[in-house]
Amino acid sequence: MRSQTAVATPVALFPGAEKIRSHPIATPVLFAALLGDALVVLLALAFSSWLRFDTGLVRFGTGAAAGVGWTAYLGHVSFGAVVFLMLLPHREIYDLHRILKFRRIAPLVLRTAMMWILVCMAAFWVLRAEREVSRIFLVVAFFTVTSAFVLWRWLLSAIVSTEAIASRLRHRVLFVGWSGPARSLAQAILDDRRHPYEIVGYVPLRRAPAARRHSVFVRKLGDAGQVGEILRDHGIDMVILADMNAAADETFALANLCEKEMIDFKVIPSCFQIMLSCLGLQTVSNVPVLGVSHPPLDNPLNALVKQVIDWVGGAVGLLLSAPVIAVFGLLVYLESPGPIIYRQRRLGCRGRTFWIYKIRSMKMNAEAGGKVGWTVKDDPRRLRVGAFMRRCNIDELPQFWNVLKGDMSLVGPRPERPELIDVFKEEILHYNARHSIKPGITGWAQVNGYRGDTDLTERVRCDLYYIENWSPILDLQIMLLTCLRQKNAA
């Protein structure tokens, strides 16, 4: 009798629901993506071999390239194309969501191309190919294949993002319950024309209080007892439980119904407000638990890559900036005699304090009164040359030395003074989470306009986004944006 009651519970709470809407256009789109990828990679490799052996590039490198036509490399081209396609992260790159959202493809292709060169060099060496493989060919192929693949996927994304096609690919979403995170998700979907979802509406929870008015217009489709009918009548593809305060029987019934009807069932983890992109299912003594996994820079290989970038970038940056430091140091001394380099205690990774170095931009003993705080607009303590240095961030050039010492990174959250952090960590949610990595000379918050006396909540949000989504490509993007911002400021 108990088993009958348990099986009948979902039907009693959520009756109806027969089948989901199909997406017949999805298969042709994915097939076109796969076929196009193979063709583009093959043609790009063939073009690379032609560039290497039938153009002026034949004069460079070893004599092994002399007299070799591009057709002699057809075997290498075919092998390279197969390897490249095998190395592609297929589950991600052939996801309909990524096809619609082009910007997620480029980092995957770049990582694949880097791995492809290493695998091909190792394979040709192990197999002892009849002819030594041209390293110049591999370098040319890296740039050619990456450029051609990204261009092709941009074109494919532009085509499938047209409303006639995208409307037939989007997953129709129903929210069950409503919450702040649900509102944010709905707003993001409505704001993004290329988002792979279409919001159909929401249904309040059975025990939920009356819904308040909200800025995001999402229509109410019915009551909790009508979910089954709504799934059937509106062709729902995905159900999102937006409030984890739902009763256990409601959650169980909804999950069971979605499983039977082959509808995706998602839960917004509203009890987690930090590191959401690192949230995942883990096991503790073979028992599944939901928790926050380690962010990318907790991986030793990722940390090593970032450290190497910092060492190289710090050395080059310090070498190139030395003449600039000398010139502005002299100007500072002429306006206000005294030490040129100013040092200040800052809080770094894992709460470790260090001395940060700057070119002095203020008068001597500017903080003699003991008051700690940020500079303000038209600060009377600032030197004339200091105003220009701070606007162009020239005063921060000595921080390349902090990078070489290991106190800072080229990119990361900006370090703050311990005296200020004692206040911020109590007032701003998740503030101290930004100290899980090294602070940086520049960062995601800075290039988005949050520096100095700006909204700290938004700065923390940007810093956490960077920690969760770190990659060498993101670091490169931030450094390039920083250079562009400085050029515009100058």
Side-chain angles (χ1 to χ4, degrees):
M1 188 70 180
R2 287 182 181 177
S3 60
Q4 292 176 350
T5 303
V7 172
T9 300
V11 178
L13 284 174
F14 303 112
E18 297 174 355
K19 61 180 180 178
I20 62 171
R21 185 186 70 168
S22 61
H23 296 273
I25 197 174
T27 299
V29 168
L30 292 176
F31 181 76
L34 178 60
L35 185 62
D37 289 350
L39 188 60
V40 165
V41 171
L42 191 63
L43 291 177
L45 286 173
F47 180 67
S48 301
S49 64
W50 176 81
L51 284 177
R52 173 65 182 108
F53 301 112
D54 288 86
T55 67
L57 285 177
V58 75
R59 297 194 300 269
F60 298 93
T62 63
V68 178
W70 74 273
T71 54
Y73 255 54
L74 289 179
H76 297 79
V77 165
S78 301
F79 176 79
V82 171
V83 170
F84 192 94
L85 292 170
M86 290 179 63
L87 289 175
L88 281 173
H90 293 281
R91 191 175 66 177
E92 297 180 13
I93 210 161
Y94 294 113
D95 188 297
L96 279 174
H97 302 170
R98 290 188 182 271
I99 291 177
L100 282 166
K101 307 271 287 185
F102 163 73
R103 65 177 178 267
R104 298 182 179 180
I105 294 293
L108 297 177
V109 176
L110 188 58
R111 287 201 299 268
T112 301
M114 291 177 177
M115 191 180 300
W116 174 80
I117 284 187
L118 297 176
V119 171
C120 282
M121 290 180 68
F124 289 135
W125 182 80
V126 170
L127 296 175
R128 301 290 183 182
E130 178 182 348
R131 181 182 294 106
E132 181 183 355
V133 178
S134 169
R135 284 164 290 186
I136 294 180
F137 162 73
L138 292 176
V139 173
V140 172
F142 171 82
F143 290 104
T144 304
V145 173
T146 304
S147 302
F149 199 100
V150 169
L151 181 62
W152 146 244
R153 276 308 189 94
W154 172 82
L155 179 63
L156 178 64
S157 177
I159 293 172
V160 300
S161 295
T162 57
E163 190 59 27
I165 299 178
S167 61
R168 300 168 65 187
L169 290 174
R170 294 192 188 111
H171 287 256
R172 295 170 60 82
V173 176
L174 173 72
F175 285 97
V176 175
W178 195 251
S179 62
R183 187 181 303 113
S184 299
L185 174 57
Q187 188 67 63
I189 293 173
L190 294 172
D191 289 345
D192 189 350
R193 185 177 61 86
R194 294 194 173 189
H195 216 294
Y197 302 105
E198 176 187 348
I199 300 175
V200 178
Y202 83 99
V203 173
L205 290 170
R206 184 181 291 273
R207 296 172 177 82
R212 295 177 297 177
R213 293 179 62 85
H214 47 80
S215 58
V216 181
F217 176 74
V218 177
R219 60 177 177 153
K220 178 182 175 182
L221 296 180
D223 298 318
Q226 300 174 297
V227 169
E229 299 173 28
I230 293 169
L231 297 183
R232 179 193 63 220
D233 295 341
H234 293 273
I236 302 299
D237 299 307
M238 179 186 295
V239 169
I240 298 179
L241 179 60
D243 191 344
M244 293 190 72
N245 293 321
D249 58 345
E250 284 185 292
T251 304
F252 170 72
L254 186 60
N256 256 8
L257 176 61
C258 291
E259 180 185 2
K260 287 193 301 181
E261 303 301 331
M262 295 179 292
I263 295 174
D264 289 341
F265 177 64
K266 310 290 183 183
V267 178
I268 296 180
S270 54
C271 58
F272 292 89
Q273 296 297 321
I274 184 172
M275 299 295 185
L276 286 179
S277 66
C278 297
L279 190 64
L281 194 65
Q282 307 165 6
T283 56
V284 176
S285 298
N286 295 323
V287 176
V289 296
L290 187 67
V292 177
S293 59
H294 298 294
L297 284 174
D298 278 3
N299 183 306
L301 181 58
N302 290 339
L304 178 61
V305 170
K306 186 169 178 63
Q307 185 63 67
V308 170
I309 294 173
D310 286 341
W311 281 334
V312 174
V316 173
L318 191 61
L319 182 65
L320 295 178
S321 63
V324 181
I325 294 173
V327 170
F328 280 90
L330 177 60
L331 294 175
V332 168
Y333 184 81
L334 292 175
E335 184 178 348
S336 173
I340 294 170
I341 300 298
Y342 172 72
R343 69 175 193 168
Q344 195 177 67
R345 281 180 71 244
R346 295 293 176 96
L347 198 67
C349 183
R350 308 295 179 188
R352 184 176 64 87
T353 58
F354 66 96
W355 291 105
I356 193 173
Y357 298 100
K358 294 185 176 185
I359 304 175
R360 182 166 59 90
S361 61
M362 293 195 177
K363 300 173 183 177
M364 292 294 296
N365 302 317
E367 290 185 342
K371 184 179 180 181
V372 176
W374 286 318
T375 57
V376 296
K377 186 178 181 181
D378 301 324
D379 197 317
R381 303 171 298 169
R382 196 166 51 189
L383 300 173
R384 290 191 301 273
V385 68
F388 176 78
M389 287 194 302
R390 294 178 74 89
R391 186 167 65 250
C392 299
N393 288 341
I394 293 173
D395 61 320
E396 297 183 353
L397 291 178
Q399 290 170 29
F400 285 116
W401 176 244
N402 286 112
V403 174
L404 287 177
K405 287 178 61 182
D407 295 327
M408 295 177 63
S409 175
L410 293 174
V411 181
R414 282 299 296 169
E416 297 292 354
R417 304 179 68 170
E419 300 88 347
L420 297 176
I421 289 174
D422 288 340
V423 177
F424 295 158
K425 70 180 182 182
E426 300 296 335
E427 296 180 349
I428 301 172
L429 197 63
H430 313 314
Y431 185 85
N432 258 357
R434 62 200 295 276
H435 295 120
S436 61
I437 64 172
K438 289 181 182 179
I441 295 178
T442 185
W444 187 242
Q446 283 73 21
V447 298
N448 281 283
Y450 299 106
R451 52 169 298 182
D453 191 8
T454 52
D455 189 341
L456 279 174
T457 302
E458 286 301 310
R459 286 171 61 179
V460 171
R461 183 185 62 79
C462 289
D463 290 337
L464 295 183
Y465 173 85
Y466 173 77
I467 294 171
E468 295 178 61
N469 297 277
W470 176 88
S471 70
I473 303 300
L474 181 59
D475 271 2
L476 178 61
Q477 178 185 352
I478 292 172
M479 286 186 276
L480 289 175
L481 287 173
T482 301
C483 293
L484 292 174
R485 300 285 192 278
Q486 295 306 113
K487 183 178 179 181
N488 292 334

